[in-house]
């Protein structure tokens, strides 16, 4: 069973802007799926169509097998959404916001109150329940929207850039919560432009660029696709020229910093053997950029520019 | 029909109604009080001070004559501005998306808001009627006409306010219709005069004003006197209501002003 099937999805906005061009995606039940892309790539448009805030131009979408054209209400009841922008009434009390949301889904009041308590406690908002939403901090507002999205206990939770503007500590707390939720069976789709987030959380990644899916693969195989990794070394003794290392590309950034490019067949052992041979002592080593980021840069480079 | 009656949709409908009712009760100084104050002023100034020097119209005192119109005016304006400001507010804060993403049908959104606005209209209408009792005695001639007309008009204008809010892009857009269209039409709608006082030509023109027909039908129910046939009044309100229902459902289905 697929939690989500998207076929040949197109979107042209009223002003003529073509936001999505033939999007095809399948997300299996129980998956943790990332939709990755730069700003303006079309992530929010895709999410907007899934939760019917944006009208699609053409294409077919099924949520847990329910066709959005034919079984709209069944499809909608399977999905909970955390939008990118805050979209609650800032004057309304937190408990009201979440209980009303449950009501819109037809969850009876008594059950709604129990769920509100459960999820508000879980996300650390229970103490604030009597306050109007505008009194919450940015991170709390984000969590309020997560609680709200869970009120119909949807089998599919969609989050649009849930950790944008959330500080690191809170981000990790959120990741933990989402992982736990996913482990208990909820399918999760999130969009992000933090690659680290996708790498840390998700099992599948689709990369969207200019309204097109340019990559759709399990995270592992995506990482394996990387043919090169770039390392930056700080060395003990200053060098005047870049050292010659056998079969390894090496560039000098300054007297005590080297940039090394290893291809997929070269291990770090090979590198160190060569460094030993050249008598170079390495103080520290780091990856120049996250490997996924490297892939991302390669994939989203306009054709012709990539080397 | 299943769309309204199914249990989840009843819960959703009740949720909107509860939210709407608490909203207008919480801000009663903006929603209920103004009508109470203006109608009191009308009763004092037009009814008592000026009215005492005016001949009875169709056999009722001027004070009694203006009661139905003022009650109906309160119903219409309050029903209209309740949905228009509440729904536009929801659009403005984007909290309307909470309803749009949920599994409740558009029909439930329409019914919930319309009923919520109608409730405020009827409540303010009752307040104005009670205030009128401080000034004069009203012996209601036909409860059926009064209640039916009050409910139908409240629903009609509430729905009108919803459609206004769907189209509105800024706050000015929701005050335009009440200020420049509804209020003038209510004053020309025979609250303070009988069209029999007008020349035949202006009588015909005045009858084109739907609000005059509504007010007059309501007056027939309350005082047993009117210038028009009540059956026409009911037909008019019902037809207008059905047209607005169709229009509103079409707008919601298309997502006009709500979905991009
Ligand atoms: N309502 C709209 N009308 C016209 N263009 C829009 C609208 N919303 C988004 N866009 C455009 O569609 C493209 C995709 O936007 P979006 O889906 O928000 O990207 P992302 O969420 O990946 O940053 C962008 O070029 C954006 O400017
Ligand atoms: Mg976005």
């Amino acid at each position: 069973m697929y939690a989500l099937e998207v076929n040949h999805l197109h979107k042209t906005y009223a002003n003529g802007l073509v936001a999505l061009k033939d999007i095809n995606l399948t997300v299996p039940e129980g998956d943790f799926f990332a939709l990755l892309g730069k700003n303006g790539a079309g992530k929010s448009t895709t999410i907007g169509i899934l939760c019917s805030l944006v009208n699609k131009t053409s294409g077919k979408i099924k949520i847990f097998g329910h066709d959005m054209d034919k079984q709209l209400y069944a499809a909608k009841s399977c999905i909970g959404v955390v939008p990118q922008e805050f979209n609650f009434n800032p004057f309304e009390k937190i408990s009201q916001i979440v209980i009303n949301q449950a009501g819109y889904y037809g969850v009876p009041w008594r059950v709604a109150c129990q769920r509100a308590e459960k999820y508000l406690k879980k996300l650390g908002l229970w103490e604030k329940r009597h306050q109007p939403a505008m009194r919450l901090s940015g991170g709390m507002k984000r969590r309020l929207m997560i609680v709200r999205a869970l009120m119909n206990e949807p089998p599919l939770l969609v989050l649009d850039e849930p950790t944008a503007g959330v500080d690191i500590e809170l981000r990790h707390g959120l990741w933990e919560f989402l992982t736990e939720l996913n482990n208990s069976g909820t399918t999760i789709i999130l969009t992000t432009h933090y690659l680290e987030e996708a790498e840390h959380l998700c099992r599948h990644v689709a990369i969207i660029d200019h309204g097109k899916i340019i990559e759709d693969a399990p995270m592992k195989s995506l990482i394996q696709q990387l043919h090169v990794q770039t390392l930056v070394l700080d060395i003990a003794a200053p060098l005047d020229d870049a050292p010659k290392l056998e079969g390894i590309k090496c560039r000098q950034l300054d007297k005590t910093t080297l940039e090394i490019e290893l291809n997929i067949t070269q291990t770090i052992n090979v590198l160190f053997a060569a460094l030993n041979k050249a008598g170079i002592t390495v103080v520290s080593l780091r990856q120049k950029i996250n490997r996924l980021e490297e892939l991302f840069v390669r994939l989203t480079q306009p054709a012709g520019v990539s080397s | 029909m299943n769309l309204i009656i199914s249990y989840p949709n009843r819960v959703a409908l009740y949720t909107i109604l509860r939210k709407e009712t608490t909203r207008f009760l919480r801000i009663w100084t903006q929603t209920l009080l103004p009508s109470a104050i203006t109608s009191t002023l009308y009763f004092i100034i037009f009814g008592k001070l000026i009215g005492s020097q005016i001949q009875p119209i169709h056999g009722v005192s001027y004070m009694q004559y203006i009661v139905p119109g003022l009650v109906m005016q309160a119903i219409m304006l309050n029903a209209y501005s309740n949905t228009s400001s509440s729904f536009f507010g929801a659009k403005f804060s984007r909290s309307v998306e909470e309803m749009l993403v949920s599994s409740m049908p558009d029909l439930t959104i329409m019914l919930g808001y319309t009923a919520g606005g109608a409730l405020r209209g009827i409540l303010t209408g009752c307040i104005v009627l009670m205030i009128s009792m401080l000034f004069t005695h009203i012996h209601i001639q036909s409860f059926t006409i009064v209640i039916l007309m009050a409910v139908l008009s409240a629903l009609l204008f509430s729905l009108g306010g919803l459609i206004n809010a769907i189209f509105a892009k800024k706050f000015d857009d929701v005050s335009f219709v009440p200020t420049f269209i509804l209020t003038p039409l209510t004053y020309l709608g025979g609250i303070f005069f009988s069209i029999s006082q007008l020349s035949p030509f202006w009588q015909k023109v005045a009858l084109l004003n739907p609000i005059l027909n509504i007010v007059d039908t309501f007056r027939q129910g309350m005082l047993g006197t009117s210038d028009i046939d009540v059956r026409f009044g009911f037909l008019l309100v019902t037809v207008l209501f059905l047209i607005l229902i169709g229009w509103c459902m079409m707008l919601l289905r298309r997502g006009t002003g709500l979905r991009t």
Side-chain angles (χ1 to χ4, degrees):
Chain A
M1 169 71 101
Y2 287 113
L4 175 69
E5 294 162 84
V6 176
N7 284 305
H8 303 298
L9 182 65
H10 290 261
K11 173 64 186 178
T12 307
Y13 279 108
N15 62 4
L17 188 132
V18 180
L20 300 179
K21 302 161 201 162
D22 200 29
I23 300 284
N24 292 285
L25 287 174
T26 48
V27 179
E29 191 176 355
D31 202 359
F32 205 139
F33 189 96
L35 186 60
L36 211 62
K38 297 181 202 167
N39 273 327
K43 302 182 296 294
S44 296
T45 303
T46 309
I47 303 301
I49 293 173
L50 295 186
C51 61
S52 61
L53 289 176
V54 176
N55 290 324
K56 64 181 163 40
T57 304
S58 65
K60 221 171 188 35
I61 296 169
K62 284 186 183 175
I63 296 169
F64 283 93
H66 304 298
D67 187 327
M68 281 190 79
D69 291 324
K70 293 179 196 138
Q71 302 151 286
L72 180 64
Y73 305 124
K76 280 169 122 184
S77 66
C78 293
I79 190 169
V81 61
V82 182
Q84 184 175 0
E85 314 276 349
F86 298 136
N87 69 341
F88 42 77
N89 178 351
F91 300 102
E92 223 173 332
K93 281 196 289 184
I94 283 132
S95 56
Q96 260 165 14
I97 291 176
V98 298
I99 289 170
N100 282 347
Q101 184 69 74
Y104 300 148
Y105 280 102
V107 178
W109 192 74
R110 198 178 293 272
V111 180
C113 290
Q114 289 163 358
R115 283 188 197 171
E117 180 172 353
K118 176 173 151 196
Y119 291 114
L120 285 174
K121 279 184 174 161
K122 196 132 208 173
L123 282 148
L125 292 170
W126 180 244
E127 262 63 55
K128 306 266 179 193
R129 65 190 180 280
H130 298 307
Q131 297 201 1
M134 62 183 166
R135 296 247 195 93
L136 298 182
S137 70
M140 287 175 175
K141 285 177 180 156
R142 187 73 51 187
R143 281 180 280 156
L144 167 62
M145 295 207 296
I146 295 177
V147 174
R148 192 182 61 180
L150 291 171
M151 290 304 286
N152 61 322
E153 303 209 316
L156 171 62
L157 181 67
V158 181
L159 305 105
D160 196 357
E161 310 218 7
T163 55
V166 172
D167 65 45
I168 293 189
E169 198 176 331
L170 230 66
R171 192 178 302 167
H172 286 263
L174 257 163
W175 286 358
E176 220 166 277
F177 175 75
L178 293 178
T179 308
E180 193 183 313
L181 199 66
N182 180 244
N183 288 340
S184 68
T186 306
T187 310
I188 298 182
I189 299 176
L190 60 79
T191 77
T192 182
H193 57 252
Y194 294 130
L195 299 134
E196 191 203 348
E197 182 160 275
E199 189 171 4
H200 185 88
L201 289 173
C202 301
R203 283 191 287 279
H204 275 92
V205 191
I207 298 180
I208 183 170
D209 189 44
H210 292 100
K212 277 194 196 141
I213 300 288
I214 53 169
E215 186 62 70
D216 181 2
M219 179 65 75
K220 280 206 183 99
S221 76
L222 207 57
I223 298 225
Q224 279 163 8
Q225 267 187 35
L226 281 172
H227 295 299
V228 281
Q229 55 177 327
T230 311
L231 302 174
V232 177
L233 310 182
D234 297 313
I235 52 178
L239 290 175
D240 287 329
D241 298 307
K244 297 260 180 308
L245 301 173
E246 218 169 298
I248 293 169
K249 267 195 213 161
C250 176
R251 214 158 64 83
Q252 197 175 27
L253 297 182
D254 60 47
K255 283 188 189 303
T256 57
T257 319
L258 299 177
E259 191 180 285
I260 305 287
E261 205 175 290
L262 293 180
N263 67 38
I264 199 153
T265 58
Q266 294 170 315
T267 61
I268 294 184
N269 293 45
V270 172
L271 168 66
F272 275 92
L275 287 166
N276 279 338
K277 215 166 145 191
I280 295 169
T281 310
V282 178
V283 179
S284 66
L285 168 151
R286 66 199 138 90
Q287 279 186 326
K288 185 183 175 200
I289 45 173
N290 175 295
R291 292 190 299 162
L292 193 58
E293 201 165 328
E294 188 145 349
L295 174 73
F296 189 71
V297 170
R298 272 161 214 277
L299 285 171
T300 57
Q301 251 167 11
V305 176
S306 64
S307 50
Chain B
M1 268 304 115
N2 182 37
L3 282 181
I4 318 173
I5 294 164
S6 82
Y7 180 70
N9 293 334
R10 283 205 320 265
V11 173
L13 180 65
Y14 175 70
T15 303
I16 298 183
L17 256 180
R18 191 184 58 213
K19 186 182 71 160
E20 285 300 289
T21 314
T22 16
R23 189 194 79 97
F24 74 70
L25 290 179
R26 190 184 63 235
I27 51 170
W28 63 276
T29 52
Q30 297 164 50
T31 53
L32 304 177
L33 192 61
S35 289
I37 292 174
T38 45
S39 66
T40 308
L41 292 173
Y42 281 133
F43 289 131
I44 293 172
I45 297 166
F46 287 96
K48 260 204 148 52
L49 301 179
I50 301 176
S52 59
Q53 291 160 41
I54 295 177
Q55 297 291 314
I57 302 175
H58 301 311
V60 297
S61 75
Y62 191 67
M63 177 65 97
Q64 287 173 323
Y65 189 82
I66 64 173
V67 172
L70 288 173
V71 171
M72 189 42 93
Q73 185 189 40
I75 292 176
M76 295 185 294
L77 288 178
N78 280 287
Y80 193 94
S81 56
N82 197 70
T83 37
S84 62
S85 56
S86 173
F87 197 75
F88 181 72
K91 261 176 68 169
F92 190 76
S93 69
R94 298 182 59 176
S95 62
V96 69
E97 292 177 2
E98 294 170 344
M99 290 178 277
L100 297 178
V101 302
S102 78
S103 55
M104 90 174 125
D106 297 338
L107 184 64
T108 308
I109 299 180
M110 184 183 80
L111 285 176
Y113 271 85
T114 305
L119 221 61
R120 167 166 152 205
I122 290 166
L123 187 60
T124 32
C126 291
I127 292 173
V128 173
L129 184 63
M130 284 190 297
I131 291 172
S132 77
M133 287 170 184
L134 302 175
F135 296 91
T136 183
H137 174 77
I138 299 279
H139 179 73
I140 291 178
Q141 297 294 310
S142 162
F143 277 99
T144 318
I145 295 180
V146 166
I147 291 169
L148 256 180
M149 204 58 193
V151 172
L152 271 173
S153 315
L155 288 171
L156 173 67
F157 282 84
S158 179
L159 187 53
L162 180 59
I163 292 172
N164 190 165
I166 287 174
F167 281 111
K169 293 198 165 64
K170 48 190 192 312
F171 277 103
D172 290 350
D173 297 343
V174 288
S175 59
F176 182 85
V177 175
T179 313
F180 294 105
I181 298 175
L182 290 186
T183 308
L185 284 184
T186 55
Y187 285 114
L188 297 171
I191 298 178
F192 296 109
F193 59 88
S194 157
I195 54 166
S196 61
Q197 295 164 300
L198 302 174
S199 70
F201 172 75
W202 287 110
Q203 282 188 24
K204 289 209 179 66
V205 174
L207 282 172
L208 294 175
N209 175 359
I211 290 180
L212 182 128
N213 291 279
I214 292 170
V215 166
D216 231 36
T217 306
F218 194 60
R219 183 179 289 125
Q220 171 70 36
M222 222 177 233
L223 304 175
T225 164
S226 72
D227 299 320
I228 61 150
D229 187 340
V230 292
R231 283 172 304 182
F232 179 71
F234 276 108
L235 185 69
L236 180 76
V237 178
T238 311
V239 169
L240 286 177
F241 188 47
L242 292 177
I243 291 173
L244 292 199
I245 287 179
W247 189 13
C248 188
M249 280 308 290
M250 190 193 75
L251 292 171
L252 289 173
R253 181 155 308 136
R254 283 193 193 160
T256 307
L258 299 170
R259 304 173 209 264
T260 47

